[in-house]
Amino acid sequence: MSHAKFLTRCLQLATYANGRTAPNPMVGAVIVHDGVIIGEGYHQKAGDPHAEVMAINSVEDKSLLASSTLYCSLEPCAHFGKTPPCSLLITNSRIPKVVVGCSDSNKLVNGKGVEHLKSHGVEVVFSEYPTLFRQLNRVFFCNKDLNRPYVTAKWAQSSDGYLDRVRQPDESASRISGPLASVKSHQLRASVDGILISAKTLNWDRPSLTTRRYQGSNPRPIIVVSSALPHMEAIAQLSSAPIFVGNVASLDGDTIVCNPYDIPAWLPQLMTYGIHHVLVEGGGRVLQSFFDSGCVDEWHRYTSVNTLSEGIPAPTLNASGASYKLGIDHYERGE
């Protein structure tokens, strides 16, 4: 029997909670009896019941569970946290077979869920394509396996490879990308916990760093300070109180005092502020520093039809990704 159909449904269900489950993973589950889905659910947000619980509770005739198969995008948990372990509920429900998308590398789980199921006579089968399921929770796995936030870099550049022209603080930034790229960028902002720029970009451009062109929560601003301190009037325009990183001992608020360009040293500290996925937007030196540090997990590049001839160079990277047209812009995404 092919499991692809029902595992695909698990993936679909899991994505319904995109951006709302951190620090937990996104998980979907379905229960199948004689080839028909009789229950399904997904983890909606941290602290709420897990996907397996939602799926089991949704089954109207509980007597069918003893002859059904549970499909789950991620290995069921085996520990007591804010909710009881799902593996215990599965065995108590007498479900005889579980098909899992991928294992959970979280040290609290990491095989313990499968071990519990097998020790109680449950047949456990894993997907032949676990990469799809790990990709779904790439932020979660980065947090657990690398002990740091997942990092996405995003920028727009001219067709000849510049982020902006060389300008003075009182001059506005060059208009590079088109309106569809702007909407796509705000959609990306809505999917992260924090958005990072330099103090220079903050002072010169006065961005609000919001998701105003796409429905979703505003990410928390993270301001990297290397030399010049951020201006108070620029800070006041931000959507929420920022986290300052770098030479910031004199600043009030949440601060990480460090060498701002020793990124691997301070990046993990962002998770203490609830930042599990950070979007790096600029400026040019900050973007390049993240690539040079090896800490970029995903990147999005918008290339305009316009040229600037000279200016601030876009970051360089030795990678290629999927690309397509986005309005007047050429859009690329890579990992």
Side-chain angles (χ1 to χ4, degrees), residues 20-293:
R20 300 198 302 271
T21 63
N24 293 349
M26 293 179 285
V27 185
V30 299
I31 298 174
V32 177
H33 183 267
D34 288 341
V36 177
I37 294 177
I38 60 171
E40 61 182 27
Y42 64 97
H43 181 46
Q44 298 184 10
K45 64 178 181 179
D48 278 9
H50 290 185
E52 301 92 327
V53 177
M54 299 291 286
I56 290 172
N57 288 345
S58 73
V59 175
E60 293 184 4
D61 185 354
K62 297 296 192 291
S63 68
L64 297 178
L65 293 173
S67 53
S68 298
T69 299
L70 184 146
Y71 289 81
C72 190
S73 58
L74 185 67
E75 177 185 358
C77 65
H79 63 285
F80 284 88
K82 292 183 178 179
T83 60
C86 294
S87 56
L88 179 60
L89 176 63
I90 293 169
T91 54
N92 286 345
S93 300
R94 299 172 54 221
I95 296 174
K97 184 174 181 178
V98 175
V99 181
V100 180
C102 69
S103 58
D104 187 344
S105 57
N106 179 2
K107 63 181 180 180
L108 294 174
V109 184
N110 199 16
K112 297 183 179 69
V114 170
E115 181 182 345
H116 173 88
L117 295 175
K118 288 183 175 180
S119 68
H120 287 74
V122 178
E123 179 186 359
V124 179
V125 178
F126 277 91
S127 168
E128 297 178 355
Y129 308 101
T131 301
L132 295 174
F133 298 89
R134 287 192 63 85
Q135 176 68 14
L136 170 70
N137 282 305
R138 59 195 182 278
V139 173
F140 171 77
F141 286 121
C142 179
N143 297 165
K144 297 301 180 183
D145 297 346
L146 301 180
N147 190 36
R148 65 163 176 80
Y150 186 88
V151 175
T152 297
K154 190 276 295 182
W155 69 98
Q157 65 181 51
S158 63
S159 60
D160 51 351
Y162 295 102
L163 299 175
D164 196 0
R165 70 188 188 284
V166 176
R167 57 189 173 94
Q168 298 301 312
D170 58 347
E171 295 179 309
S172 60
S174 301
R175 182 74 177 180
I176 295 180
S177 57
L180 289 181
S182 180
V183 173
K184 180 70 175 175
S185 295
H186 286 224
Q187 179 185 22
L188 188 59
R189 288 180 179 182
S191 70
V192 304
D193 307 306
I195 181 168
L196 186 148
I197 62 171
S198 68
K200 178 180 177 181
T201 297
L202 176 69
N203 290 340
W204 285 31
D205 297 341
R206 305 293 173 90
S208 60
L209 305 180
T210 63
T211 59
R212 60 193 178 276
R213 292 187 175 89
Y214 192 86
Q215 184 177 5
S217 300
N218 295 324
R220 187 173 183 187
I222 303 162
I223 310 302
V224 175
V225 182
S226 58
S227 54
L229 294 176
H231 300 160
M232 294 305 299
E233 58 271 26
I235 295 173
Q237 291 187 227
L238 296 173
S239 60
S240 60
I243 301 169
F244 298 107
V245 175
N247 303 318
V248 294
S250 61
L251 293 174
D252 294 329
D254 291 333
T255 59
I256 299 175
V257 181
C258 61
N259 173 358
Y261 295 104
D262 187 4
I263 294 170
W266 59 259
L267 185 60
Q269 296 182 55
L270 288 178
M271 291 206 297
T272 65
Y273 296 102
I275 306 297
H276 300 94
H277 186 180
V278 60
L279 176 64
V280 180
E281 286 205 355
R285 185 182 176 190
V286 168
L287 280 163
Q288 190 62 60
S289 294
F290 266 86
F291 278 107
D292 292 344
S293 74

